[in-house]
């Protein structure tokens, strides 16, 4: 094998990438924004360290988030002339260690079989839950078990831990503890361990067996961890044990792409790296090689609305400005979506380079129907709508004999049957009643099916159950056929790590994105914002965002409001602080929101001037209670102002920038 030339490995790197690659020893954190070439940096840095004699190739470990990413990293390193570098996930590397040491610690017995999934066991347990809880999706139970086990929380310790974390399980806490305990008992009886146990057992091995730990550390001593923002506490502890007293650790991540906290991930390990390693080097990759300046500016504004500056720049050629469109109805939005796709194809974009992203899987079916009617080929990435278990169960229930009604009476009978057969909740608020992501997806999927039923019986008053089965089976067959070179349909979560020339983000409304149950929780809202950031940064050149003023739900059309995040995406001129009468720059000497509060006083003076100019009473502009709430919250962005009670979308649109100007002047910003 010819020796690598270290300098040639630096030739095509930008200044920040080069800086990161040259740091081959000691702790290093790389903040890698979307599209900044982090995979190239990780592979080149490993190659440079090996070529310059810092570390032998067989002592390098590159940790990736998925098996697919590990395979791609191995290919990159092989093409650089380094076939001996190891790239694995946390679980894959732990598995090799545990298999090696298990027999010596267990009287020669082989390691137990690995449980591929928690869901089969938890599904059986769920069916034994009382009442309506027997329809709880096993995936929600599995996610909650994983959250607990990633923190080494046993069933008996779950309740106080959940209370401390203000975490609500998908079913009442006593039932969840029973289900969690039942899962652990069933797993032990079957003689298997799950993926969480795999990490726990490896941790226990390295803590309790110094000889094993020394051997493990002798084999790998130079570490690079990708997607570090998605690390959970078990993985972090295992990484610390692999490292031991060594210091050659590089972590790479982007806190704005943390979208898996429901499974235990925490970006705190990334954001606290420099405080845990005070002498660590930090490099930020700021040059985006994926998106046009226009797309990137939109993404930067979304981050800036939280009071942070992302600072990503691009040298790609300018592209068309992203479009944000309001539609009168959901049907109008879907028609416009089909038209936008046709326009992009006319521009020369290949259909396979166009993607439509949604928040929930259930939102795909209306899009599929629209594209089918428009003659536009598509492919569903990830789990298709008609492959979902509740959709298959609903179709099976519909095929069962006994539905003799026609038209609207048939639709009512189907609702009753699905309530009894598969746990449809006819009177539930689809956004708030279901606890757990999968439960909400499940309820939304059934609502989507019932919307199809309602549409058929409206168009065909004599439609019977057989007609509905035919319609749903035809749609399922069309979805199954797919088209490998068609438009991509998928969720935001599935889109992470992917990119396309053109991306459309429809249904950006309050209750959709941010999803309804996140509206009153700051951490959940922050994650919803990160989902939108991921969606925006998937686009290279064309980007379209849209929302509908009216959307049908449960057979009734209701008014919708645009997502609060759309307000943050507006391009606004640099803020200029007007010269307004009022007190000197703010000094916290009085209780916020009272008559003595300088900000509250300034807001009242602004309101008086605004009301006089508009010839309306001051309360039309804003009530005292609203101004007091603003003074209490001290918002720095439209997003923060939106959370203040009394600041509805119309008031925010009309007065938001002026209120922020007043706030900035008084707070001295």
């Amino acid at each position: 094998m010819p020796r690598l030339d270290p300098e040639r490995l630096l030739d095509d790197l930008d200044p920040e990438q080069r800086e990161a690659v040259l740091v081959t020893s000691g702790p290093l954190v790389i903040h890698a924004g979307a599209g900044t070439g982090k995979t190239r940096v990780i592979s080149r840095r490993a190659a440079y360290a090996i070529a310059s004699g810092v570390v032998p190739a067989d002592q390098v470990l590159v940790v990736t988030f998925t098996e697919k990413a590990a395979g791609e990293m191995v290919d990159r390193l092989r093409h650089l002339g380094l076939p001996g570098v190891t790239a694995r996930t946390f679980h894959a590397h732990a598995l090799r260690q545990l298999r090696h040491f298990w027999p010596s610690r267990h009287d020669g017995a082989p390691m137990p079989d690995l449980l591929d999934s928690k869901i089969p066991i938890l599904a059986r347990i769920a069916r034994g839950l009382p009442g309506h809880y027997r329809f709880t999706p096993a995936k929600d139970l599995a996610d909650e078990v994983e959250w607990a086990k990633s923190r080494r929380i046993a069933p008996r310790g779950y309740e106080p831990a959940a209370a401390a974390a203000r975490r609500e399980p998908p079913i009442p806490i006593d039932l969840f503890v029973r289900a969690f305990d039942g899962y652990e008992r069933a797993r032990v009886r079957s003689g298997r361990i799950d993926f969480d146990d795999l990490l726990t057992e490896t941790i226990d091995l390295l803590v309790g067996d110094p000889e094993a730990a020394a051997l493990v550390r002798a084999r790998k001593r130079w570490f690079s961890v990708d997607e570090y923002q998605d690390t959970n506490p078990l993985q972090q502890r295992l990484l610390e044990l692999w490292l031991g007293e060594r210091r050659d650790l590089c972590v790479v991540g982007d806190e704005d792409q943390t979208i898996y906290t429901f499974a235990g991930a925490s970006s705190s390990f990334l954001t606290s790296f420099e405080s845990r390693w005070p002498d660590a080097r930090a490099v930020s990759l700021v040059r985006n090689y994926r998106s046009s300046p226009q797309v990137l500016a939109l993404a930067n504004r979304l981050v800036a609305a939280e009071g942070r500056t992302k600072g990503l720049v691009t040298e790609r050629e300018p592209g068309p400005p992203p479009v944000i469109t309001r539609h009168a109805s959901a049907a109008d939005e879907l028609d416009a979506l089909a038209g936008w796709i046709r326009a992009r194809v006319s521009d020369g974009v290949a259909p396979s380079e166009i993607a439509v992203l949604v928040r929930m899987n259930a939102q795909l079916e209306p899009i599929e129907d629209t594209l089918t009617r428009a003659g536009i080929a598509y492919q569903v990435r990830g789990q298709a709508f008609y492959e979902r278990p509740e959709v298959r169960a609903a179709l099976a229930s519909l095929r069962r004999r006994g539905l003799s009604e026609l038209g609207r009476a048939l639709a009512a009978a189907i609702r009753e049957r699905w309530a009894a057969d598969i746990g449809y909740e006819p009177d539930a608020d689809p956004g708030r009643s279901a606890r757990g992501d999968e439960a909400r997806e499940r309820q939304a999927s059934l609502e989507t099916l019932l919307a199809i039923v309602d549409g058929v019986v409206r168009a065909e008053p004599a439609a019977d159950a057989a007609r509905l089965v035919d319609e749903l089976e035809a749609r399922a067959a069309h979805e199954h056929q797919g088209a490998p070179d068609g438009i991509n349909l998928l969720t935001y979560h599935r889109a992470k790590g992917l990119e396309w020339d053109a991306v459309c983000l429809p249904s950006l409304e309050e209750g959709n994105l941010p999803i309804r149950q996140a509206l009153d929780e700051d951490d959940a809202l922050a994650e919803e914002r990160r989902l939108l950031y991921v969606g925006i940064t998937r686009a290279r050149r064309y980007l379209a965002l849209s929302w509908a003023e009216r959307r049908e739900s449960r057979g009734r059309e209701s008014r919708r409001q645009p997502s609060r995040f759309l307000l943050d995406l507006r391009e606004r001129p640099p803020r200029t602080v007007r010269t307004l009468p009022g007190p000197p720059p703010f000094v916290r000497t009085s209780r916020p929101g009272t008559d003595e509060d300088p900000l509250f006083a300034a807001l009242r003076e602004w309101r008086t001037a605004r009301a006089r100019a508009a010839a309306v009473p001051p309360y039309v502009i804003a009530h005292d209670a609203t101004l007091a709430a603003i003074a209490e919250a001290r918002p720095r962005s439209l997003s923060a102002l939106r959370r203040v009670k009394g600041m509805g979308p119309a008031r925010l649109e009309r007065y938001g920038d002026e209120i922020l100007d007043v706030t900035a002047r008084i707070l001295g910003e």
Side-chain angles (χ1 to χ4, degrees):
M1 183 72 63
R3 183 176 175 83
L4 290 173
D5 180 357
E7 292 306 312
R8 293 198 60 182
L9 293 169
L10 306 174
D11 284 348
D12 56 351
L13 301 180
D14 67 37
E16 295 78 22
Q17 292 174 339
R18 183 185 179 96
E19 179 185 359
V21 167
L22 288 173
V23 181
T24 55
S25 300
L28 169 67
V29 56
I30 301 175
H31 298 282
T36 54
K38 68 181 179 66
T39 306
R40 168 180 287 193
V41 170
I42 293 170
S43 59
R44 293 293 183 87
R45 182 173 175 272
Y48 187 85
I50 295 165
S52 56
V54 172
V55 60
D58 61 355
Q59 292 195 341
V60 170
L61 176 64
V62 178
V63 181
T64 61
F65 189 62
T66 65
E67 293 285 359
K68 179 183 177 183
E72 292 173 351
M73 184 63 68
V74 167
D75 287 342
R76 280 185 180 249
L77 292 165
R78 185 180 295 115
H79 289 145
L80 289 173
L82 296 170
V85 176
T86 301
R88 296 191 186 115
T89 65
F90 277 104
H91 291 90
H93 198 56
L95 179 59
R96 291 177 66 91
Q97 294 168 9
L98 205 58
R99 277 181 174 158
H100 177 81
F101 290 105
W102 188 279
S104 64
R105 292 169 55 86
H106 296 83
D107 298 323
M111 180 182 146
D113 290 336
L114 194 60
L115 189 66
D116 291 335
S117 171
K118 298 178 178 68
I119 288 178
I121 294 176
L122 287 168
R124 292 195 298 271
I125 292 172
R127 289 194 292 270
L129 292 173
H132 194 267
Y133 297 118
R134 70 184 186 277
F135 298 113
T136 302
K139 185 179 183 302
D140 284 337
L141 297 176
D143 286 344
E144 195 64 16
V145 168
E146 287 175 10
W147 177 85
K149 296 188 75 168
S150 73
R151 287 156 176 76
R152 306 198 74 168
I153 298 169
R156 64 181 178 276
Y158 174 82
E159 185 169 358
R166 300 198 308 174
R167 190 170 180 94
E168 187 176 26
I171 54 179
I173 198 161
D174 59 325
L175 293 181
F176 177 74
V177 171
R178 187 206 308 178
F180 187 4
D181 185 63
Y183 165 78
E184 290 290 82
R185 291 174 182 273
R187 178 189 58 75
V188 171
R189 283 196 306 270
S190 69
R192 290 182 288 179
I193 63 174
D194 61 26
F195 282 95
D196 305 302
D197 300 321
L198 173 62
L199 299 188
T200 299
E201 292 283 354
T202 308
I203 289 169
D204 290 343
L205 165 72
L206 299 179
V207 169
D209 190 334
E211 291 184 6
L215 181 57
V216 165
R217 290 170 187 150
R219 290 178 175 174
K220 303 294 179 188
R221 66 175 178 83
W222 196 93
F223 298 87
S224 186
V225 184
D226 192 13
E227 301 287 3
Y228 191 58
Q229 78 278 353
D230 291 321
T231 300
N232 68 36
L234 271 185
Q235 293 166 335
Q236 174 62 24
R237 179 59 179 142
L238 184 57
L239 177 62
E240 293 167 356
L241 290 169
W242 283 341
L243 193 64
E245 298 299 319
R246 278 85 57 82
R247 299 171 47 78
D248 290 334
L249 171 64
C250 170
V251 298
V252 186
D254 179 9
E255 64 176 300
D256 290 310
Q257 296 189 68
T258 308
I259 58 174
Y260 295 108
T261 59
F262 62 85
S266 173
S267 62
S268 64
F269 298 120
L270 174 67
T271 56
S272 67
F273 188 85
E274 291 171 81
S275 63
R276 289 183 289 113
W277 296 85
D279 61 337
R281 293 281 299 275
V283 178
S284 294
L285 305 183
V286 298
R287 300 171 200 264
N288 177 287
Y289 295 95
R290 175 188 301 157
S291 303
S292 70
Q294 289 76 14
V295 170
L296 201 59
L298 202 70
N300 286 340
R301 285 203 291 273
L302 185 64
V303 173
E306 285 195 310
R308 297 184 296 113
T309 55
K310 191 70 174 180
L312 291 183
V313 298
T314 182
E315 296 178 3
R316 286 179 62 93
E317 64 180 26
V323 294
I324 302 176
T325 311
R326 176 181 63 188
H327 299 282
S329 69
D332 291 340
E333 184 184 35
L334 288 169
D335 289 342
L337 170 62
W340 182 84
I341 290 172
R342 288 196 188 96
R344 300 292 73 76
V345 174
S346 296
D347 290 335
V349 180
S352 60
E353 282 294 339
I354 301 174
V356 181
L357 309 185
V358 295
R359 175 62 178 84
M360 297 180 72
N361 183 278
Q363 295 170 282
L364 290 177
E365 206 288 335
I367 298 172
E368 293 177 31
D369 182 49
T370 297
L371 298 184
T372 299
R373 289 186 287 103
I376 298 173
Y378 64 86
Q379 58 173 324
V380 177
R381 305 283 292 266
Q383 186 179 41
F385 176 79
Y386 286 97
E387 292 176 356
R388 290 185 60 83
E390 70 274 7
V391 174
R392 295 199 305 268
L395 269 167
S397 175
L398 196 55
R399 294 187 191 101
R400 188 164 56 82
R401 293 183 179 182
L403 290 172
S404 57
E405 296 85 354
L406 301 177
R408 294 186 180 278
L410 174 60
I414 290 171
R415 281 173 164 81
E416 292 180 6
R417 175 174 284 193
W418 285 355
D421 286 359
I422 56 177
Y424 169 66
E425 300 180 66
D427 300 319
D429 181 329
R432 294 191 183 275
S433 63
R435 293 188 285 183
D437 285 346
E438 190 66 15
R440 288 183 283 270
E441 285 270 15
R442 187 178 192 277
Q443 184 75 359
S445 295
L446 296 177
E447 293 287 354
T448 298
L449 285 177
L450 286 168
I452 296 171
V453 169
D454 290 338
V456 171
V457 299
R458 277 198 302 266
E460 305 174 36
D464 60 7
R467 169 71 184 92
L468 291 173
V469 169
D470 288 344
E471 174 66 22
L472 293 172
E473 287 183 341
R475 294 185 181 215
H478 195 278
E479 177 188 75
H480 180 72
Q481 290 172 358
D485 56 351
I487 306 302
N488 298 277
L489 305 181
L490 64 166
T491 64
Y492 288 88
H493 285 99
R494 290 279 183 181
K496 191 168 184 294
L498 304 176
E499 59 186 76
W500 298 272
D501 286 341
V503 172
C504 184
L505 310 176
S507 303
L508 293 178
E509 299 145 19
E510 292 287 291
N512 283 344
L513 187 70
I515 203 165
R516 191 172 305 179
Q517 69 275 5
L519 297 180
D520 301 322
E521 185 181 336
D522 287 346
D523 288 345
L525 270 175
E527 182 136 345
E528 295 292 296
R529 179 185 294 274
R530 292 193 293 268
L531 275 176
L532 182 57
Y533 179 82
V534 167
I536 290 172
T537 55
R538 299 311 94 190
R540 297 191 190 105
R541 182 169 175 81
Y542 297 96
L543 178 64
L545 305 89
S546 64
W547 66 282
E549 291 182 315
R550 304 193 70 86
R551 193 174 296 278
E552 187 175 297
S553 177
R554 296 177 177 268
R556 298 187 300 273
E557 198 171 58
S558 60
R559 292 193 63 83
R560 308 302 293 265
Q561 297 292 342
S563 167
R564 65 192 65 198
F565 303 141
L566 292 180
L567 290 168
D568 298 331
L569 297 178
R570 295 184 309 168
E571 186 170 13
R572 295 185 295 274
R575 181 173 295 163
T576 56
V577 180
R578 298 175 177 82
T579 302
L580 297 174
F586 170 73
V587 178
R588 187 182 288 275
T589 58
S590 58
R591 191 163 64 87
T594 64
D595 288 339
E596 295 78 25
D597 180 6
L599 178 54
F600 180 60
L603 288 168
R604 293 186 70 181
E605 292 190 36
W606 161 80
R607 181 187 62 180
T608 298
R610 201 64 167 81
R612 187 178 297 118
V616 297
Y619 69 81
V620 172
I621 306 297
H623 290 282
D624 271 358
T626 300
L627 298 184
I630 294 170
E632 179 77 27
R634 288 163 160 60
R636 268 71 166 184
S637 68
L638 285 172
S639 182
L641 185 58
R642 171 67 177 81
R643 294 198 289 271
V644 173
K645 186 176 181 180
M647 286 300 301
R651 183 167 286 145
L652 195 68
E653 178 76 25
R654 190 172 297 127
Y655 307 125
D657 288 332
E658 295 180 27
I659 291 172
L660 293 178
D661 285 345
V662 175
T663 303
R665 177 177 66 85
I666 298 302
L667 299 184
E669 297 178 354

